[in-house]
Amino acid sequence: MSKNTKYLLISLPASISPTNDHDEALTTLRSAVTLDYGTVFPFPIPEFKIGTLDALVQQADELAKLEAACEGVVAKVGDSLRMILQGDEAKISQSKTVNDKPPEQYLKSFHWNKVKYRADRPLGDIIDTLQKEITSIDNQVKDKYNSYNSVKTNLTQLQRRQDGNLASKALTNIVPPSLIIRDSDYLETHLIAVPRNLTKDFLRAYESLSPMVVPRSAVQVASDDDFTLYAVTTFKKHSQDFIHRCRESKWTPRDFKYKEGGGEEERRELEKVGENERKVWGEALRLGRTAWGEAVMAWVHVLALRVFVETVLRYGLPLNFVCGLVRTTGKLAKKARSSLDTKFSYLGGNAFGRDKKGRVTKDDSSTSADMQAAGHMGNEGEYSAYVCYEFEIK
């Protein structure tokens, strides 16, 4: 899936061919784009049950909002896949399929999913079905990835307690039980992680840091590249003062309670959380893959509905139109549109004219404002003489 690929979904009246034949009309569309600017594929859209003109105008507005919502959900699910696959672009690309096909192949071979979105239902019912589906996809992915992030955060904290420095890691397997005073009514042992460049200051000052610190009680317990861990004994009634003074001096008091078998318990907890993290990771990945494909499918069906509704509003009844998908690039899309404008400007009536050199020009902004009010603007905010929606699947 190329990051630079852009698609134009175009509808034109079959009358662009002399015989009103669909195949000939598609050939006429291809001749307007040419391979220099992109490749045109047929994009069949069924005829749906339509209501009143007022209902169609309202549905056009609803579909515009729904398309934006679909695009947003596709982007959010894509971001979630990127997070869980740690930015591995090859794996991310492999995970982005629609009906087990790469997105481009799905678009090239698009057919309306009549089982999932019954074309014999009223247009309003189909829109409602798509709205509920995209909302459900969004909520499911959000819930699962929030769950994974919670488990991942818990695991990271436990790993940090095992692998971090002496200011943060678990001390169960580091501190000998004999160093900790237990069952005393008066004395208490404190473990202080001191930055290595401050150890001399600590040893010089700790006895006078607060009242009733036991003289010469500081014992070096362990040391790493960043900190040295000391055990210091104080009277309990002055413990909080001592801890507060340590923090003021940028020494880190460690909260430690000796527990028989605590090291083994921490190891089992880490294994349990690690297993759960791998399980939830797999669930989140599977859901992300499925949800991305379903969200893209919903999005493309919404685009098809937008084209259909706009086609009815613009070309009227009875319906006789051809729809094509132009695969192009970001750079060539403007040239493809310009070529289409030149070929089919006559469909726009007074909205288009030609300058002295014969080049197609669009009429003043008042015309565009009128067209916008009538709902005849594409998703790029400009009026064109034909139905056209641009989109990218990233």
Side-chain angles (χ1 to χ4, degrees), residues 1-51:
M1 182 169 56
S2 173
K3 291 183 178 180
N4 194 35
T5 301
K6 178 171 277 194
Y7 297 98
L8 311 178
L9 192 54
I10 295 170
S11 166
L12 289 157
S15 60
I16 61 172
S17 73
T19 61
N20 284 355
D21 179 75
H22 281 219
D23 291 337
E24 286 189 14
L26 189 64
T27 300
T28 303
L29 171 57
R30 287 193 172 108
S31 69
V33 176
T34 76
L35 292 175
D36 293 333
Y37 303 139
T39 308
V40 179
F41 303 95
F43 195 90
I45 298 177
E47 290 193 22
F48 301 96
K49 291 183 178 180
I50 57 177

Side-chain angles (χ1 to χ4, degrees), residues 350-366:
N350 293 332
F352 286 81
R354 292 182 182 270
D355 63 15
K356 293 179 180 179
K357 295 183 179 180
R359 294 174 298 194
V360 173
T361 58
K362 294 183 182 180
D363 217 336
D364 60 23
S365 59
S366 63

Side-chain angles (χ1 to χ4, degrees), residues 46-327:
E47 290 193 22
F48 301 96
K49 291 183 178 180
I50 57 177
T52 64
L53 178 61
D54 287 345
L56 277 175
V57 172
Q58 182 179 346
Q59 287 162 351
D61 185 54
E62 291 173 359
L63 285 166
K65 295 174 182 176
L66 182 54
E67 191 213 331
C70 290
E71 184 176 4
V73 171
V74 170
K76 283 191 284 186
V77 178
D79 289 342
S80 297
L81 280 171
R82 177 167 281 98
M83 179 271 292
I84 205 165
L85 291 172
Q86 299 180 331
D88 188 322
E89 292 298 333
K91 291 181 179 178
I92 293 168
S93 181
Q94 291 171 5
S95 297
K96 290 182 173 181
T97 60
V98 189
N99 274 357
D100 298 321
K101 302 175 183 177
E104 183 171 321
Q105 186 179 342
Y106 170 74
L107 289 168
K108 287 179 180 179
S109 59
F110 175 81
H111 280 85
W112 184 268
N113 190 331
K114 294 181 180 179
V115 175
K116 199 170 187 180
Y117 315 110
R118 289 177 53 186
D120 60 344
R121 300 287 296 168
L123 201 56
D125 289 357
I126 302 172
I127 295 171
D128 187 53
T129 297
L130 285 159
Q131 177 69 66
K132 289 177 179 177
E133 181 183 16
I134 203 67
T135 301
S136 176
I137 292 170
D138 190 23
N139 290 336
Q140 287 180 35
V141 172
K142 192 182 302 179
D143 290 346
K144 178 57 71 174
Y145 277 79
N146 284 343
S147 175
Y148 173 70
N149 284 331
S150 177
V151 173
K152 180 67 174 177
T153 298
N154 190 17
L155 178 62
T156 301
Q157 290 173 345
L158 288 173
Q159 289 173 333
R160 188 179 173 216
R161 284 179 59 79
Q162 295 296 319
D163 305 326
N165 56 41
L166 289 168
S168 60
K169 72 188 301 181
L171 301 177
T172 307
N173 296 323
I174 295 174
V175 180
S178 58
L179 276 180
I180 305 301
I181 296 175
R182 289 173 284 170
D183 304 323
S184 171
D185 293 332
Y186 303 103
L187 297 176
E188 188 172 18
T189 304
H190 302 283
L191 296 171
I192 311 298
V194 181
R196 294 194 63 171
N197 62 335
L198 298 178
T199 53
K200 290 183 179 179
D201 295 340
F202 171 79
L203 292 172
R204 186 165 50 246
Y206 81 91
E207 292 179 355
S208 59
L209 204 61
S210 71
M212 303 190 78
V213 177
V214 177
R216 299 182 183 178
S217 62
V219 176
Q220 181 174 325
V221 181
S223 184
D224 61 22
D225 292 341
D226 303 310
F227 292 91
T228 300
L229 185 68
Y230 289 96
V232 177
T233 303
T234 71
F235 278 74
K236 284 186 175 180
K237 66 179 183 179
H238 293 287
S239 290
Q240 292 305 312
D241 186 28
F242 178 76
I243 290 171
H244 176 68
R245 301 284 183 178
C246 284
R247 290 197 175 101
E248 285 185 339
S249 301
K250 302 189 184 307
W251 309 329
T252 305
R254 296 299 313 278
D255 186 18
F256 177 80
K257 300 293 183 184
Y258 176 76
K259 183 178 180 180
E260 190 72 34
E264 179 63 21
E265 185 177 310
E266 288 180 352
R267 185 188 65 79
R268 286 198 301 269
E269 183 184 8
L270 181 61
E271 287 181 355
K272 181 180 177 181
V273 174
E275 289 176 4
N276 190 38
E277 187 269 344
R278 289 188 290 274
K279 173 177 173 289
V280 179
W281 180 88
E283 292 172 353
L285 179 59
R286 286 191 293 275
L287 177 62
R289 286 170 170 166
T290 303
W292 192 87
E294 290 180 347
V296 170
M297 185 189 301
W299 182 16
V300 174
H301 279 73
V302 170
L303 279 164
L305 286 179
R306 288 198 77 184
V307 169
F308 176 81
V309 170
E310 176 68 13
T311 296
V312 176
L313 290 173
R314 187 179 298 226
Y315 305 141
L317 297 173
L319 282 173
N320 190 15
F321 69 99
V322 64
C323 185
L325 179 74
V326 180
R327 181 190 181 278

